[in-house]
């Protein structure tokens, strides 16, 4: 059994992205987006994503819609949907997200968005295949 006090774990991580757990069908990831930062516009083909916001204030941009997100909010991004999440507040935007199926390499840590982008471009952030 894996057990997390997920809000606390997410709040304590300074990293842009940290994969906590990877299963065959889903993956649990925590993220910290700095003030003025963003996840970056993207589309996950074949991967659903559910994001839950732990702290901070941001803007969800999903399929052409924009909504403010705050602590306790949850946003569902169906596979194939263009999306981005932007930190609009003065403090880090902290969240955890579940991907189904996994989207990132097991146990990968990206300290910054730039590091995440570099690893993805180099093919060093591929999800497990089996």
């Amino acid at each position: 059994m894996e057990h997390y006090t997920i809000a606390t774990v997410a709040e304590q991580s300074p990293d842009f992205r940290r994969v906590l757990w990877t299963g065959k069908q889903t993956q649990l990831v925590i993220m910290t987006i700095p003030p003025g930062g963003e996840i970056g516009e993207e589309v996950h083909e074949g991967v659903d994503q559910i994001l839950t916001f732990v702290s901070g204030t941001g803007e969800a941009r999903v399929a052409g819609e924009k909504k403010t997100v705050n602590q306790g909010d949850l946003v569902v991004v169906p596979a194939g949907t263009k999306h981005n999440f932007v930190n609009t507040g003065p403090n880090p935007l902290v969240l955890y997200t579940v991907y189904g199926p996994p989207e990132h390499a097991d146990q990968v840590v990206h300290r910054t968005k730039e590091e995440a982008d570099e690893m993805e471009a180099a093919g060093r952030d591929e999800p497990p295949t089996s």
Side-chain angles (χ1 to χ4, degrees):
M1 172 189 343
E2 297 291 331
H3 177 270
Y4 302 97
T5 305
I6 193 65
T8 302
V9 172
E11 281 281 342
Q12 291 174 347
S13 176
D15 301 314
F16 175 72
R17 180 186 298 127
R18 177 180 292 269
V19 174
L20 291 182
W21 179 85
T22 302
K24 289 182 181 180
Q25 303 299 321
T26 58
Q27 184 173 63
L28 175 62
V29 176
I30 54 177
M31 297 187 73
T32 300
I33 304 166
E38 63 182 89
I39 288 175
E41 188 172 85
E42 58 189 359
V43 174
H44 303 299
E45 296 297 341
V47 178
D48 293 322
Q49 185 175 9
I50 300 170
L51 304 95
T52 304
F53 295 85
V54 173
S55 64
T57 302
E59 183 176 77
R61 301 174 182 175
V62 180
E65 284 187 68
K66 293 181 181 180
K67 291 203 181 232
T68 299
V69 291
N70 296 293
Q71 178 181 358
D73 288 347
L74 182 143
V75 176
V76 175
V77 180
T81 304
K82 186 183 293 186
H83 62 282
N84 191 8
F85 295 86
V86 179
N87 184 340
T88 58
N91 299 311
L93 179 61
V94 180
L95 63 105
Y96 62 93
T97 183
V98 176
Y99 294 97
E103 174 68 12
H104 298 285
D106 189 27
Q107 301 299 309
V108 74
V109 175
H110 300 135
R111 303 213 185 289
T112 65
K113 181 178 183 333
E114 294 73 26
E115 182 179 89
D117 291 345
E118 288 171 13
M119 287 183 74
E120 288 174 10
R124 296 191 331 251
D125 185 30
E126 297 302 314
T129 56
S130 57

